[in-house]
Every structure is written in structure tokens, then in C-alpha cells.
Amino acid sequence: MLGSGLGYRAELAEEIDRHADRIDWLEVITEHYLFADEARERLRLLARRCPIVPHGVELSIGSDREPDAAYVEALAGLVEEIDAPWFSDHLCFTRTDRVALGLLAPLPRTREVARRLAGKAQRVQQAVGRPFLLENITYYVDLATPLTEAQFIAEVMEHCDCGLLLDLANLDINARNHGFDAIEFLQTIPLERVTQVHLAGGIDGEDMALDTHGEAVPSRVWDLLDELVARTPIQATLIERDTDFPDDFTELLTEIDRARTALTARPAELAGGA
Amino acid sequence: MALPDALAAMLTNDAELALLQRDPAGLRERYALTDTELAMLVGARPAGYQVTRRNVQAKLWRAVNTRLPVTAAHLRDHQPDLWDEFASTVVRPPRPVHEHGIWESERLTTWLVAQDHGPLAAYARYELERAKLGRTGTGTPAGLRPAIHRRRVSADRLLTLAAGARVVVFDYDVTAGPPIHQLPERRTHVALHRRARDARVLAYRINAATASLLACCDGTQTADQIIERIGHGEDQAAIRAALDGLLAAELVRLT
Ligand SMILES: [Fe+2]
């Protein structure tokens, strides 16, 4: 089990250093390190102290064309260099041939798209040589598709042997914005494929709940974590905080502790199943 | 699958987004959508498009902020309408990951210059030039420090501007900022320099004479030739000293 980790951000670097003994592992944004020599050197030093997982935002695995070969090669180099236990990116597209959105955009949830994506993800996993975890995104445009999000994820998983990074904050926000039941979602996806979890807080906007990564993890998301670990063993949780960093870092440490407690407090019949 | 093309266009262009309500058949035609794909787009709530459109613009701001942090913060804090005007027109092309933010920053800078946004355009150009040379350092000195005259120019070798150096001219004194709106309006020459193995870019405010001296260091002339060409009488010693200084500061190298 990797344990309870925190998203590494420059704004938090000093505090992360100071409290290294209370953070089991760190997740870094892949693109910050792929082609950056100086940052890479710092990452190598960090990787000597604790496990590091690269988390990408620009692979665009849902784009029509195959992922950029130079990107995948560089990713493989990064993963090997820091000996990452796995790497992750999102179930989405961020660009087409003509437009770079710079944002995780939702895919048309059809079986055909799911299968094509699964094939590409499988090939990326093969090229990188470590487990590839795919993450559910927050989406605000809810395309009127034949599959629900959970069915789409299940279809992807059916056609590759990649893992899942289940973002419970995204699940909570999507469920509220689009009116579906988060528990039913958990019952539909292959939970045994969930390796890692993301936990974060958002805000309620005028029309929709918004995923800001700028608030404390809300109780609804903690409840979902309990629901999840009651059903399946999870190897790692991660607190994501990108904005409005708390003045008092112990707020984040408390969340990390709470996630660790939830992770290890599995029912007896599931304990040892990992 | 044509739907991602249509969705990407709708999320980056208000006119395309408006088509969904106004002329869905036109949208279908433009992106060769099937009836099923069009129904998927039409069936999504308008609020979802609006929120995502705002997020796309926020990501654009963040991309610019990685390269032009002062300009981006100024637009956000002091001229948000100007930012919105810019952001509403921009469709970002796919670029390699390591160039993140450069295309967007160039586009914004060109736009600000074309619109004649005086000090803001000058500062955007300043930040862009620095970004292109390397990562911006903080607290870099404005104004050339007294050089340490250890190295002397040799008479028979050609002088060239250092690889990581460039001279840029502004109509505002960008080295006096930020804040951007208080930049003095005066013609200002700035030498930017990123030394080998140093990620920071140093900025030196230089006078016009030094700028023309640097312009002469183009790899075709020796120090003597340069002095001969632009020096008169007593000036010659001063020019030689200045060249020594530029060499010591590593802005110029001998080839
Ligand atoms: Fe996440």
C-alpha cells in the first residue's frame, strides 16, 4: 500500500519538506517535469525521500489520433527515472488536431469511443512499462450520450488492463450537477480496478457545483471514501489542493491523516485483500 | 468522430457556441456531425457550456501567466475587460508540452502592441523576451553594474554578442516596473542576458551608445575596427573601456 499522499505544488514545497514524515507519497504534475532539466533534478532528489507518482494533464488519451510519441517516450523516461509505481492521466480529450483547449473535456460516451480509448491506453501502458491509471474528470457539459459515465468507464476497463484513479470529488460534483446517484456509480464501475483515489474540495457556483481544488474535502467526499473502502481495497489516497492554500498547513496534514485512517480501516473481510 | 471538433470549437469561440441554439443544422454541416452527435450536443444543458467556456478562458490566462506573470496579473487585477476581449478571440493551436504558454503569450503581446496599449504592451514584450531566453529570475539588477575590468579586448579577434543575450528597445522604462501603469514613458534600451548554466535572465538598462556598441558586435568586426568606426579622438579610450566592460559582463564574447 502506498498510503496517504499529497499533490506536490511549488506553493507547498517548504511545508512538505518540513512535514515529510507525515506524508506517505507525493503526486506531481507530469508536464512540469517532462522537458525541464532543472525541475527534473529537484524531482530526482525528492524521489529519494518518498514515492512519487507522475499525474498528467496533457496526454489527451481521448483524442482521435494516437498520443504524441515524443511525449510518451519522455513520460517513460520520467517514470523510470523516479521509479514511479504507476502513472496517471484523465479520461478525456484536451485537444483536437486544430484546437488545444488546455482543459479536460468530456468525450462522447459511446462503446466505440470507449474501446478506441482503451486500445490507446493499453499501448501507452505498454510503452511506459508501468501501470497506467485513468481518472474520471469533472465535466460540466453533460453530452446526451448512450452510456452513463459509469458505464463508459466500465466499457473502457473491459477493453484494457489499465487501472482506475477514482476522483471522489469529481464523482460527487458530477453526481450533483447531473443528477445521478454516486453509490450507483460505484456499483457500476469495476471497483477492483481502482488503485488510487483523489480527494478535494470545490464550491457551489451559481448554476453548478465547481471543482476548484481550493477548499477542504467536504463530508460528502469523505463518506464516499468510506463507501469505497468498505467495498474494495485501495492502495493510495491523495489530497489535491491547487488554489487557496490554507495558511495553516496542519489543515492539509489533518486531511492526509484522515485519509490514511479511512484507507486502513477496512472491514475485516476485505483486510489483506490488497 | 467529429463531435470533439465541434465541441472544441464551441468552447473556444462564442459564435460557434451560439450556433448550437441559433442554427444547429449549420453546426451539423460545418463539423460533419451525424444526427446522433448533434443530438448529444443539443441535449447538454447550456449552463454546462457556459461554465466550461469560462474554464477554457481561465486556462488560457494560466498559460499566459506561466510566461508573462506581471502582465497577466495586471490584466486580471486592473483591466479584466481587456483580458476578456482578448480571451474571447483566441483559439489555441496544439503545441508541444515544453512550449507551454509561449504561443499564447506571443499572441497576447502582438495583440497588445497592435492595439497600442503603451506601457502594458511594452511590459508584455519585456516579459516575453525574457521568457524566450529562459526562466525569469527575481530581483535582477536594472542598470549595468560596474564591470570588473579583468579581461581586455584583444585587437585582432572579432566581437560577437553572447549567445544568450539580446538587446531590446522600449518606449517605456520597463526596468522601472511593476506596477505597469506607472512605467515612465522614455525610450529605454535593455540588454537581456542568460548566461550558460544559469536559468535566470539578467536585465541591464543600457544607454543608446552602449546599445549601438552592442549592435556592432555582430561577429564581423574587431574591437579596433569598431573603435575606429564609431570613436572620435578622446572617445576612443572610453569605447575601449566600455567594450572591456561588456566582455567582463560576458554580454560580448571574442570569436
Ligand atoms: Fe483529480
Side-chain angles (χ1 to χ4, degrees), chain A residues 55 90 135-136 165 167 170 198 211 213 240:
Chain A
H55 178 55
H90 301 82
E135 179 181 357
N136 58 309
L165 192 181
D167 190 316
N170 292 353
H198 269 171
D211 178 32
H213 293 183
E240 286 191 298

Side-chain angles (χ1 to χ4, degrees), chain A residues 85-254:
Chain A
W86 59 75
F87 66 100
S88 55
D89 208 301
H90 301 82
L91 282 162
C92 70
F93 75 100
T94 65
R95 79 185 86 91
T96 65
D97 280 353
R98 266 171 297 176
V99 180
L101 288 169
L103 163 141
L104 312 173
L107 289 160
R109 296 176 301 240
T110 66
R111 291 196 189 283
E112 188 202 348
V113 170
R115 287 172 195 186
R116 271 214 313 269
L117 187 153
K120 279 180 279 185
Q122 188 73 40
R123 287 188 286 280
V124 169
Q125 181 172 260
Q126 180 85 25
V128 174
R130 300 279 162 108
F132 179 14
L133 307 190
L134 294 159
E135 179 181 357
N136 58 309
I137 62 165
T138 298
Y139 53 94
Y140 303 100
V141 175
D142 186 22
L143 299 166
T145 53
L147 300 182
T148 64
E149 187 195 4
Q151 288 168 337
F152 179 76
I153 292 172
E155 186 73 14
V156 172
M157 289 292 114
E158 179 80 27
H159 292 87
C160 65
D161 63 11
C162 300
L164 275 175
L165 192 181
L166 183 58
D167 190 316
L168 292 173
N170 292 353
L171 169 56
D172 170 59
I173 287 169
N174 291 336
R176 290 193 294 135
N177 281 341
H178 308 307
F180 66 79
D181 180 13
I183 300 299
E184 210 177 297
F185 179 102
L186 292 182
Q187 288 164 347
T188 307
I189 63 169
L191 287 181
E192 70 281 4
R193 306 282 285 278
V194 179
T195 302
Q196 186 200 318
V197 158
H198 269 171
L199 303 162
I203 56 167
D204 286 331
E206 247 173 64
D207 297 309
M208 298 181 121
L210 304 174
D211 178 32
T212 59
H213 293 183
E215 303 290 321
V217 178
S219 59
R220 291 182 312 275
V221 173
W222 289 117
D223 291 346
L224 284 174
L225 179 61
D226 291 339
E227 289 284 349
L228 179 68
V229 294
R231 288 167 164 82
T232 191
I234 302 297
Q235 291 190 37
T237 57
L238 186 108
I239 305 293
E240 286 191 298
R241 190 69 174 250
D242 289 311
T243 57
D244 294 311
F245 298 100
D247 293 332
D248 183 359
F249 190 69
T250 54
E251 284 178 34
L252 293 182
L253 291 174
T254 305

